[in-house]
């Protein structure tokens, strides 16, 4: 069973702040898959994380281009695969794999569109509407990484939620 950290945020600001705490822990080669319905805060989270990575510019879902590249402390690849067609996109997948395997930090909105393909070390954040402006966030990571993240995010792994 995959372990996960869960918490609820009550505003976009709160989500961005949490993202900043996580972003500060990301480094070259890290991949965060963001999975959740429209408007759950995936881009909001990426923006918060990018701020912590030293990028002050505009962060928006790259809906049509599918990939934005930011020059932060590390290069940041911001994918949005909402409109990506897996059947037509094998070439793209090959190019992306190379980028993702490199020295950047990758954020992939709608990563579920990739099917089974994701690097083994990827972190996964699932986001869901939880009434009004509440959003349920669930972070999973392989092995010991999750304990490190739990400490940094102030989320008690045993109890699960921080509020
Ligand atoms: N707790 C919250 N966390 C994040 N965003 C929130 C929250 N409450 C309200 N919002 C609002 O919800 C919207 C989230 O938009 P955002 O673009 O981040 O979603 P998204 O998941 O990236 O959507 P899309 O799939 O269309 O790219 C924003 O307008 C934000 O202000
Ligand atoms: Mg988005």
């Amino acid at each position: 069973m995959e372990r996960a950290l869960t918490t609820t945020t009550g505003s976009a600001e709160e989500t961005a702040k949490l993202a900043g705490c996580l972003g500060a822990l990301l480094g070259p080669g890290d991949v965060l898959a963001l999975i959740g319905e429209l408007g759950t805060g995936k881009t909001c989270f990426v923006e918060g994380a990018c701020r912590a990575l030293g990028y002050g510019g505009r962060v928006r879902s790259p809906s049509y281009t599918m990939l934005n590249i930011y020059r932060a402390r590390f290069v940041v690849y911001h994918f949005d695969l909402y409109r990506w067609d897996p059947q037509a996109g094998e070439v793209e997948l090959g190019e992306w794999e190379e980028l993702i395997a490199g020295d950047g930090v990758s954020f992939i909105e709608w990563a579920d569109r990739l099917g089974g393909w994701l690097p083994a070390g990827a972190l996964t954040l699932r986001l869901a509407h939880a009434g009004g402006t509440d959003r349920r966030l669930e972070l999973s990571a392989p092995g010991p990484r999750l304990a490190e993240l739990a400490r940094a995010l102030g989320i008690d792994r045993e109890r699960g939620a921080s509020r």
Side-chain angles (χ1 to χ4, degrees):
M1 192 186 78
E2 198 175 40
R3 293 169 306 164
L5 304 174
T6 56
T7 191
T8 303
T9 64
S11 67
E13 292 69 30
E14 216 182 307
T15 294
K17 189 173 164 210
L18 189 68
C21 296
L22 178 70
L25 303 174
L26 299 179
D30 276 334
V31 177
L32 178 67
L34 298 109
I35 300 173
E37 289 305 309
L38 292 167
T40 46
K42 300 181 293 298
T43 303
C44 174
F45 196 96
V46 173
E47 182 169 25
C50 283
R51 295 291 175 260
L53 288 171
Y55 178 71
R58 184 181 158 95
V59 173
R60 291 291 179 276
S61 270
S63 297
Y64 289 95
T65 52
M66 285 179 288
L67 171 62
N68 284 344
I69 301 178
Y70 313 127
R71 299 283 157 191
R73 202 153 35 246
F74 315 101
V75 64
V76 171
Y77 301 113
H78 179 191
F79 293 90
D80 185 312
L81 304 182
Y82 185 61
R83 292 191 166 78
W84 182 61
D85 174 1
Q87 300 198 316
E90 295 216 353
V91 176
E92 285 150 357
L93 194 54
E95 288 169 8
W96 295 341
E97 260 186 291
E98 259 179 58
L99 297 180
I100 289 171
D103 283 343
V105 173
S106 300
F107 297 102
I108 311 176
E109 297 190 42
W110 295 99
D112 40 332
R113 296 277 198 277
L114 289 170
W117 185 90
L118 258 190
L123 314 176
T124 300
L125 182 72
R126 291 178 191 278
L127 306 92
H129 291 282
T133 61
D134 280 2
R135 302 288 189 273
R136 189 89 185 138
L137 272 53
E138 183 188 300
L139 180 69
S140 48
R145 193 81 194 270
L146 198 70
E148 177 204 346
L149 297 174
R151 277 194 300 278
L153 298 175
I155 298 174
D156 181 339
R157 194 150 48 101
E158 303 309 316
R159 281 189 306 119
S162 68
R163 65 158 248 197

